[in-house]
Amino acid sequence: MAEFETLKLQVEDGVALLTLSRPDKLNAFNTQMLKDLIAAFDATDADDAVRAVIVTGEGRAFCAGADLSAGATTFDYAARGGEDQAARTQGGVQRDGGGLVSLRIYRSLKPVIAAVNGAAVGVGVTMQLPMDIRLASTDARFGFVFARRGMNPEAASSWFLPKLVGVQTALEWCYTGRVFPAQEALDRGLVRSLHAPDELLPAAKALAQEIADNTAPVSIALTRQLIWRMAGAAHPMEAHRADSRGIQARGASADAREGVTSFLEKRPAAFLNKVSADLPDIWPGWEEPEFR
């Protein structure tokens, strides 16, 4: 795996551990972290040895939000200027960096588990929303603080958040901008479970390992696409069309034969199909929407 400036990426037993690593800045999000996160998910998608991804933070925080070291001009892209800002401008609009990360995670072909070890504020929480399962430490705190900074929600969170917690809770959290404890995040459905700080990563690894050890990676990639893409579908017929193509392709695969045979023979399955080579296209005519 490549090395990065703002995060660490390790792979063991089919599980990639991606650790945000600016602990002296509480893992605050900056332009380099944006680039590193996108590159890291490119790497995990391309590596057939990776069956699941865990994202966590180094030190006391998961991610304390945007790096505010630029002061009052932190969010004023025109004032800040620079090549990075120019490269993200389309049609006169500066694309939101958190949104670029969220959209990349949304496209991941591997399941993504968040292990929220501490403070997760602003983009530190919105980047979690396109992840599939969120586990949190009892020490974790969350905050959609944008209105308290004179900003609006970003990272496509207005699409993701209501789907996870409902419109009422999404609006309350964003209207108040308050930082709330892990128990509230659990009670309202943002996280799946709470864990003592020293038990968080083992719990996330156990969940990731269960996926890595027992499931067909191509089937998981299709499942992830189906669930996320159908979250915004207009009619269940769209799901039926994609399901049917997937069942037809997977039913004729070596993985399906192995899955049935191993079950009948009462032994662990050895799935050989690879995401890089064997992922069927069940989305004829699908095009990624353009930013405009």
Side-chain angles (χ1 to χ4, degrees):
M1 279 291 172
E3 294 187 1
F4 303 94
E5 290 184 34
T6 65
L7 55 85
K8 299 173 182 176
L9 185 59
Q10 301 167 298
V11 179
E12 183 178 358
D13 296 330
V15 177
L17 178 61
L18 192 164
T19 305
L20 306 180
S21 184
R22 301 184 72 211
D24 56 323
K25 302 291 186 182
L26 298 179
N27 303 321
F29 182 88
N30 62 8
T31 298
Q32 188 59 50
M33 185 176 284
L34 181 164
K35 295 177 181 178
D36 286 350
L37 280 166
I38 290 173
F41 279 97
D42 287 345
T44 56
D45 268 1
D47 187 350
D48 286 317
V50 173
R51 307 285 290 274
V53 180
I54 297 171
V55 183
T56 194
E58 183 177 353
R60 296 186 294 117
F62 179 84
C63 173
D67 188 327
L68 303 180
S69 59
T73 63
T74 293
F75 301 112
D76 189 343
Y77 300 130
R80 291 177 62 185
E83 294 181 2
D84 289 321
Q85 280 68 33
R88 291 179 4 225
T89 298
Q90 290 183 236
V93 178
Q94 168 82 72
R95 294 189 66 177
D96 162 45
L100 294 173
V101 170
S102 286
L103 290 171
R104 181 60 190 89
I105 297 171
Y106 172 84
R107 294 194 303 271
S108 174
L109 298 175
K110 314 295 172 72
V112 184
I113 299 168
V116 188
N117 56 300
V121 176
V123 69
V125 63
T126 56
M127 74 164 71
Q128 298 174 31
L129 303 181
M131 299 180 192
D132 304 308
I133 304 168
R134 285 157 295 282
L135 287 66
S137 162
T138 51
D139 288 345
R141 294 174 297 127
F142 302 83
F144 297 85
V145 298
F146 309 103
R148 295 195 178 202
R149 306 290 180 269
M151 299 297 291
N152 57 271
E154 40 67 87
S157 56
S158 57
W159 190 89
F160 288 104
L161 185 59
K163 291 175 172 58
L164 293 172
V165 302
V167 171
Q168 179 172 258
T169 293
L171 287 172
E172 178 192 337
W173 283 346
C174 292
Y175 283 165
T176 65
R178 62 185 174 84
V179 175
F180 53 91
Q183 185 63 52
E184 183 173 341
L186 175 68
D187 292 344
R188 298 209 182 184
L190 180 61
V191 303
R192 169 258 206 189
S193 54
L194 300 186
H195 304 268
D198 60 349
E199 296 174 359
L200 173 64
L201 206 51
K205 288 180 177 179
L207 178 57
Q209 206 65 59
E210 183 174 3
I211 297 169
D213 291 347
N214 298 295
T215 62
V218 173
S219 295
I220 292 296
L222 287 177
T223 300
R224 193 175 197 277
Q225 288 182 343
L226 285 165
I227 296 295
W228 275 118
R229 291 187 181 186
M230 291 302 99
H235 192 281
M237 179 58 75
E238 295 183 44
H240 178 56
R241 291 168 182 156
D243 291 348
S244 298
R245 292 184 176 92
I247 291 295
Q248 179 171 313
R250 288 268 78 201
S253 71
D255 276 356
R257 292 190 290 274
E258 172 64 7
V260 173
T261 301
S262 62
F263 174 77
L264 295 175
E265 295 178 351
K266 297 180 171 58
R267 61 172 175 80
F271 296 113
L272 299 179
N273 288 158
K274 297 180 178 180
V275 173
S276 63
D278 303 307
L279 184 65
D281 180 9
I282 64 172
W283 312 98
W286 176 274
E287 293 184 4
E288 191 75 16
E290 296 180 3
F291 181 89
R292 58 188 179 190

